[in-house]
Amino acid sequence: MKTITTHYIDGSFVESHGREVMDIIRPTDGQVIGRATLADEEDTRRAITAAKRSFATYGRSTKEERIEILRRLHKAASARTDELTAAMVEEYGGVTRFAGLIVQSGIGAFQAAEKALQEMPLTRNWDKVAVTMEPVGVAGLITAWNANTLFICLKLASAVAAGCTVVIKPSELSAIQTQVLVEALHEAKLPKGLFNVVTGLGTSVGAELVRNPDVNKISFTGSVAVGQSIMRDGAATMKRVTLELGGKSPTILLDDADLKQAIPTALIMAFLNSGQACAAGTRFLVPKSRLDEVRQAIKEGMRDITVGNPADPNIAVGPMVSQKQYERVQSYIRKGIEEGAELLAGGEGRPQDLQAGFFVKPTVFFNVRNDMTIAREEIFGPVLSVITYNSDDEAISIANDSRYGLHAVVLGADINRARTVASQLRAGRIVINGMTDDPRAPWGGFKYSGVGREYGQYGIEAFLEPKAILEA
C-alpha cells in the first residue's frame, strides 16, 4: 500500500496542508493500492510563491544555463525509466508496449528541448532596434492522466528552456506515477522554486492556478470543457494560455492502399493507448468500393487487438483508467447500437474472463454515419467507427466535418495523392502511411482541439514574450 502525503514545493517534499485523502485504485482489478493526500489552495499558493521568488533569478538565466538544467533533468529522469514504466502499467493500466514508448518520449523531451533551444535565436537586432524573447513568468502546468510522464516532462522542458519557473498540477489519478517522477527529478538538484508539484483537484488546485495573478501562463492538457473554463477564468488576469484538448481523429484509407499494411496501421491508431488517446484514429474513412475487403481485413486484424493484463507485452488493450471511464465508454457503445450502427466486433460489457477490472471489449462499428454520436463525440476508449465515402473530396469533407482538428492519418500507395489529401485536412498534425513522430514538429489542434502548440521551438515559443527596445 503506497501512502503519499507530500507535495514538492521550493525544492523539498513538504507535508500537505490539504487534508482530503483519495484512494488510488488499480484498474486491472479495482483494488486499492495506495492513498494520496490532495493539495488545497494553500498548498498551491505556497508553490506559486516559491515559483515567483525563483523566477526573479531564473528569469534572467542565459541560454547556456538553461541547457545545463535540461541536461540534468534528462539524466535524472533517465535513471528511473523502468520504475516510471512500471508505475504507468500498474496505476493507469497502460499496456507495456505503449507505456515504455510514452515514458521514453517524455524523458526525451528534455533532450529535444535542449536541441531546439540551441537552434533558437532569442535576440534580433536591426538599425537601432533590439528585440529579445523574454520568459513569460510563472507557468501553471496542468496535465492529464493518460500519459503522465510525457505531459509533465514535455511541458516542464519547454518552460525551463524558455526561462520560466513552474507549478505543476498533475491529475490526481496519477499520484503514484507523479511521485516516482518527482523523486527522480529531485535528484537534478534544480534551483529552489524552479519546479513545484501539487497534486490535487482541478476545482481547488487548478482553479487557484488559473485565477492567481502571480501565475502568468497556463498550459493545459485535458477536456474541452475544462479548457473553455480556463480560457474564461484566465481572462480576468490576462493569462497566456496553451490548450491541448480533445480529438476525433480521422484515418483516411485511399482506394489504392495495400490493405495488408493499411488495416493493421488503422487498428493500431484506433486502439492507441487502449483508446485513451486524444490522437486515436477513431473515425476510419474507407471507400465504398472496397468496403467488403475492409470488413474482412478488420475481422482478421482484430485477432491481434488482444485485451488483458497490461503487464503482458503481447496485450494491445488494457483497462480503462477508472470505473467512471469504463461506464462512459459503455454508454457510447450502447448509443452506437441504439443509433443503428452495425456491431462488427466487441460490444457492451467486459471481455470474458476479465470481470474484475475496468476492461472494455475493443469495439468496431460499421455503417456509421458521420452525424451519429459515436462519430461526433470523443469517447476516449477502444471504439472505432467505420464510415464510407465515394471520392477523395468526400473523404476530405467528412474528415473535416468535426468540431475537432488535432490529428489525422492518410493511407495510400500514391504518395503525391496522399500528400494532396493531407494538405486539405484541418488538423494540427497529419501522418502519412503509418504512425510516426518528430519532437521538432508542432503538436496541437485546430478548432475545439485547442489553442497553441507544443514540442520543439514551437513549444518553447509558447512560454516566451517578445520585448522591443528602440533608440531614437
Side-chain angles (χ1 to χ4, degrees), residues 97 100-101 158 161 311 348 369:
R97 64 168 75 170
L101 293 174
S158 295
E348 290 186 76
R369 300 187 314 274

Side-chain angles (χ1 to χ4, degrees), residues 40-60:
D40 62 8
E41 290 88 348
E42 178 60 28
D43 292 307
T44 311
R45 286 190 287 268
R46 290 175 180 175
I48 293 169
T49 298
K52 182 179 180 181
R53 184 167 53 242
S54 181
F55 181 71
T57 301
Y58 189 68
R60 301 194 302 271

Side-chain angles (χ1 to χ4, degrees), residues 247-358:
K248 194 66 184 176
S249 301
T251 297
I252 299 178
L253 179 80
L254 298 179
D255 60 17
D256 64 350
D258 179 353
L259 296 191
K260 290 181 179 179
Q261 295 178 351
I263 296 302
T265 297
L267 293 179
I268 289 170
M269 288 303 308
F271 300 117
L272 190 70
N273 201 13
S274 304
Q276 297 176 125
C278 50
T282 54
R283 290 187 298 151
F284 189 24
L285 279 55
V286 304
K288 282 185 180 177
S289 61
R290 302 195 69 181
L291 185 59
D292 290 341
E293 292 176 80
V294 169
R295 181 192 299 270
Q296 186 59 38
I298 288 179
K299 284 182 179 179
E300 294 173 2
M302 287 299 290
R303 296 171 188 163
D304 296 326
I305 307 301
T306 50
V307 58
N309 181 0
D312 183 341
N314 296 313
I315 291 297
V317 175
M320 301 297 92
V321 70
S322 65
Q323 178 69 26
K324 179 181 178 182
Q325 188 64 19
Y326 169 83
E327 292 172 355
R328 171 187 169 88
V329 176
Q330 291 297 314
S331 72
Y332 276 106
I333 293 173
R334 286 193 296 273
K335 189 69 172 177
I337 295 170
E338 291 167 2
E339 291 187 337
E342 175 193 344
L343 193 61
L344 184 72
E348 290 186 76
R350 290 175 168 83
Q352 190 175 6
D353 301 327
L354 290 171
Q355 298 301 307
F358 310 135

Side-chain angles (χ1 to χ4, degrees), residues 149-166:
T149 296
L150 171 61
F151 295 142
I152 291 177
C153 292
L154 174 61
K155 293 179 189 294
L156 175 61
S158 295
V160 164
C164 293
T165 57
V166 307

Side-chain angles (χ1 to χ4, degrees), residues 7 16-19 38-45 199 204-205:
H7 308 291
S16 180
H17 178 272
R19 289 291 174 261
L38 301 179
D40 62 8
E41 290 88 348
E42 178 60 28
D43 292 307
T44 311
R45 286 190 287 268
T199 297
S204 53
V205 175

Side-chain angles (χ1 to χ4, degrees), residues 144-201:
W145 42 258
N146 59 317
N148 187 68
T149 296
L150 171 61
F151 295 142
I152 291 177
C153 292
L154 174 61
K155 293 179 189 294
L156 175 61
S158 295
V160 164
C164 293
T165 57
V166 307
V167 178
I168 301 174
K169 190 213 89 67
S171 170
E172 66 277 8
L173 296 179
S174 306
I176 292 176
Q177 297 167 76
T178 298
Q179 186 73 9
V180 175
L181 180 58
V182 175
E183 288 173 357
L185 298 182
H186 175 69
E187 296 304 314
K189 303 188 186 311
L190 303 186
K192 289 184 177 181
L194 191 158
F195 161 64
N196 307 273
V197 182
V198 280
T199 297
L201 301 176

Side-chain angles (χ1 to χ4, degrees), residues 61-79:
S61 59
T62 65
K63 182 184 286 192
E64 291 70 28
E65 289 169 334
R66 297 174 197 174
I67 286 171
E68 175 58 24
I69 292 288
L70 289 166
R71 287 174 177 168
R72 282 153 56 186
L73 285 166
H74 179 262
K75 181 179 179 181
S78 296

